[in-house]
Coordinates of all heavy atoms in Angstrom, one line a residue:
E1220 N -1.4 14.8 -14.3 CA -1.3 13.5 -15.1 C -0.6 12.4 -14.3 O -0.8 11.2 -14.5 CB -0.5 13.8 -16.4 CG 0.9 14.2 -16.2 CD 1.6 14.4 -17.5 OE1 1.8 13.4 -18.2 OE2 1.9 15.6 -17.8
Y1221 N 0.3 12.9 -13.3 CA 1.0 11.9 -12.5 C 0.0 11.2 -11.5 O 0.0 10.0 -11.3 CB 2.1 12.5 -11.7 CG 3.2 13.1 -12.6 CD1 4.1 14.0 -12.1 CD2 3.3 12.7 -13.9 CE1 5.1 14.6 -12.9 CE2 4.3 13.2 -14.7 CZ 5.2 14.1 -14.2 OH 6.2 14.7 -15.0
Y1222 N -0.9 12.1 -10.9 CA -1.9 11.5 -10.0 C -2.9 10.7 -10.8 O -3.3 9.6 -10.3 CB -2.6 12.7 -9.3 CG -1.9 13.2 -8.0 CD1 -1.2 14.4 -8.1 CD2 -1.8 12.4 -6.9 CE1 -0.5 14.8 -6.9 CE2 -1.2 12.8 -5.8 CZ -0.5 14.0 -5.8 OH 0.2 14.5 -4.7
E1223 N -3.2 11.1 -12.0 CA -4.1 10.3 -12.8 C -3.6 8.9 -13.1 O -4.3 8.0 -13.2 CB -4.4 11.1 -14.1 CG -5.3 12.3 -14.0 CD -5.4 13.1 -15.2 OE1 -4.7 12.9 -16.2 OE2 -6.3 14.0 -15.3
A1224 N -2.3 8.8 -13.3 CA -1.6 7.5 -13.5 C -1.8 6.6 -12.3 O -2.1 5.4 -12.4 CB -0.2 7.7 -13.9
V1225 N -1.6 7.2 -11.1 CA -1.8 6.5 -9.9 C -3.2 6.1 -9.7 O -3.6 5.0 -9.3 CB -1.2 7.3 -8.7 CG1 -1.6 6.6 -7.4 CG2 0.3 7.5 -8.8
W1226 N -4.1 7.1 -9.9 CA -5.6 6.8 -9.7 C -6.0 5.6 -10.7 O -6.7 4.8 -10.3 CB -6.4 8.0 -10.0 CG -6.2 9.2 -9.1 CD1 -5.7 9.1 -7.8 CD2 -6.4 10.6 -9.4 NE1 -5.6 10.4 -7.3 CE2 -6.0 11.3 -8.2 CE3 -6.8 11.3 -10.5 CZ2 -6.1 12.7 -8.2 CZ3 -6.9 12.6 -10.5 CH2 -6.5 13.4 -9.3
A1227 N -5.5 5.7 -11.9 CA -5.8 4.6 -12.9 C -5.4 3.3 -12.4 O -6.1 2.2 -12.5 CB -5.2 4.9 -14.2
G1228 N -4.2 3.2 -11.8 CA -3.7 1.9 -11.3 C -4.5 1.4 -10.1 O -4.8 0.2 -10.0
M1229 N -4.9 2.3 -9.2 CA -5.7 1.9 -8.1 C -7.1 1.5 -8.5 O -7.7 0.6 -7.9 CB -5.8 3.1 -7.1 CG -4.4 3.4 -6.4 SD -4.6 4.7 -5.2 CE -5.5 3.9 -3.9
E1230 N -7.7 2.2 -9.5 CA -9.0 1.8 -10.0 C -8.9 0.4 -10.6 O -9.8 -0.4 -10.5 CB -9.5 2.8 -11.0 CG -9.9 4.1 -10.4 CD -10.4 5.1 -11.5 OE1 -10.9 4.7 -12.5 OE2 -10.2 6.3 -11.2
A1231 N -7.8 0.1 -11.3 CA -7.6 -1.2 -12.0 C -7.5 -2.3 -10.9 O -7.9 -3.4 -11.2 CB -6.4 -1.1 -12.9
V1232 N -6.9 -2.0 -9.8 CA -6.8 -3.0 -8.7 C -8.2 -3.6 -8.4 O -8.4 -4.8 -8.2 CB -6.2 -2.4 -7.4 CG1 -6.4 -3.3 -6.2 CG2 -4.7 -2.1 -7.6
A1233 N -9.2 -2.7 -8.4 CA -10.6 -3.1 -8.0 C -11.5 -3.5 -9.2 O -12.5 -4.2 -9.0 CB -11.2 -2.0 -7.1
N1234 N -11.1 -3.0 -10.4 CA -12.1 -3.1 -11.5 C -11.6 -3.9 -12.7 O -12.4 -4.2 -13.6 CB -12.5 -1.7 -11.9 CG -13.2 -0.9 -10.8 OD1 -14.3 -1.1 -10.6 ND2 -12.5 0.0 -10.2
S1235 N -10.3 -4.2 -12.7 CA -9.8 -5.0 -13.8 C -9.7 -6.4 -13.4 O -9.4 -6.8 -12.3 CB -8.4 -4.5 -14.3 OG -8.4 -3.3 -14.8
I1236 N -10.0 -7.3 -14.3 CA -10.1 -8.7 -14.0 C -8.9 -9.3 -13.4 O -8.9 -10.3 -12.6 CB -10.6 -9.6 -15.2 CG1 -11.1 -10.9 -14.8 CG2 -9.5 -9.7 -16.2 CD1 -11.8 -11.7 -15.8
D1237 N -7.7 -8.7 -13.7 CA -6.4 -9.2 -13.2 C -6.0 -8.3 -12.0 O -4.8 -8.5 -11.5 CB -5.3 -9.3 -14.2 CG -5.2 -8.0 -15.0 OD1 -6.0 -7.1 -14.9 OD2 -4.1 -7.9 -15.7
G1238 N -6.8 -7.4 -11.6 CA -6.5 -6.6 -10.4 C -6.6 -7.4 -9.1 O -7.3 -8.4 -9.0
T1239 N -5.8 -7.1 -8.1 CA -5.6 -7.9 -6.9 C -6.9 -7.8 -6.0 O -7.0 -8.6 -5.0 CB -4.4 -7.5 -6.1 OG1 -4.4 -6.1 -5.9 CG2 -3.1 -7.9 -6.9
A1240 N -7.8 -6.9 -6.3 CA -9.0 -6.8 -5.5 C -10.3 -7.0 -6.3 O -11.4 -6.7 -5.9 CB -9.1 -5.5 -4.7
Y1241 N -10.1 -7.4 -7.6 CA -11.3 -7.6 -8.5 C -12.3 -8.6 -7.9 O -13.5 -8.4 -8.1 CB -10.8 -8.0 -9.8 CG -11.9 -8.2 -10.8 CD1 -12.5 -7.1 -11.5 CD2 -12.4 -9.5 -11.1 CE1 -13.5 -7.3 -12.4 CE2 -13.4 -9.7 -12.0 CZ -14.0 -8.5 -12.6 OH -15.0 -8.7 -13.5
A1242 N -11.8 -9.6 -7.3 CA -12.8 -10.6 -6.8 C -13.8 -10.1 -5.9 O -14.9 -10.6 -5.8 CB -12.0 -11.8 -6.2
V1243 N -13.4 -9.0 -5.1 CA -14.3 -8.4 -4.1 C -15.1 -7.2 -4.7 O -16.2 -7.1 -4.4 CB -13.5 -8.0 -2.9 CG1 -14.4 -7.3 -1.9 CG2 -12.9 -9.2 -2.2
F1244 N -14.4 -6.4 -5.5 CA -15.0 -5.2 -6.0 C -15.4 -5.1 -7.4 O -15.9 -4.1 -7.9 CB -14.1 -4.0 -5.6 CG -14.1 -3.7 -4.1 CD1 -13.0 -4.0 -3.3 CD2 -15.2 -3.0 -3.5 CE1 -13.0 -3.7 -2.0 CE2 -15.2 -2.7 -2.2 CZ -14.1 -3.1 -1.4
G1245 N -15.2 -6.2 -8.2 CA -15.4 -6.2 -9.6 C -16.9 -5.9 -9.9 O -17.2 -5.3 -10.9
D1246 N -17.8 -6.3 -9.0 CA -19.2 -6.1 -9.3 C -19.8 -5.1 -8.3 O -21.1 -5.0 -8.2 CB -20.0 -7.5 -9.1 CG -19.9 -8.0 -7.7 OD1 -19.0 -7.5 -6.9 OD2 -20.6 -9.0 -7.4
Y1247 N -19.0 -4.3 -7.7 CA -19.5 -3.4 -6.7 C -20.3 -2.2 -7.4 O -19.8 -1.7 -8.4 CB -18.4 -2.8 -5.8 CG -18.8 -2.3 -4.5 CD1 -19.4 -3.1 -3.5 CD2 -18.7 -0.9 -4.2 CE1 -19.9 -2.5 -2.3 CE2 -19.1 -0.4 -3.0 CZ -19.7 -1.2 -2.1 OH -20.1 -0.7 -0.9
P1248 N -21.4 -1.8 -6.8 CA -22.2 -0.8 -7.5 C -21.6 0.6 -7.5 O -21.9 1.5 -8.4 CB -23.5 -0.8 -6.7 CG -23.2 -1.4 -5.4 CD -22.1 -2.4 -5.7

Side-chain angles (χ1 to χ4, degrees):
E1220 65 179 292
Y1221 298 161
Y1222 278 105
E1223 287 174 348
V1225 171
W1226 297 335
M1229 294 182 70
E1230 288 179 31
V1232 168
N1234 298 282
S1235 293
I1236 195 167
D1237 54 346
T1239 53
Y1241 179 80
V1243 175
F1244 286 104
D1246 63 348
Y1247 200 65

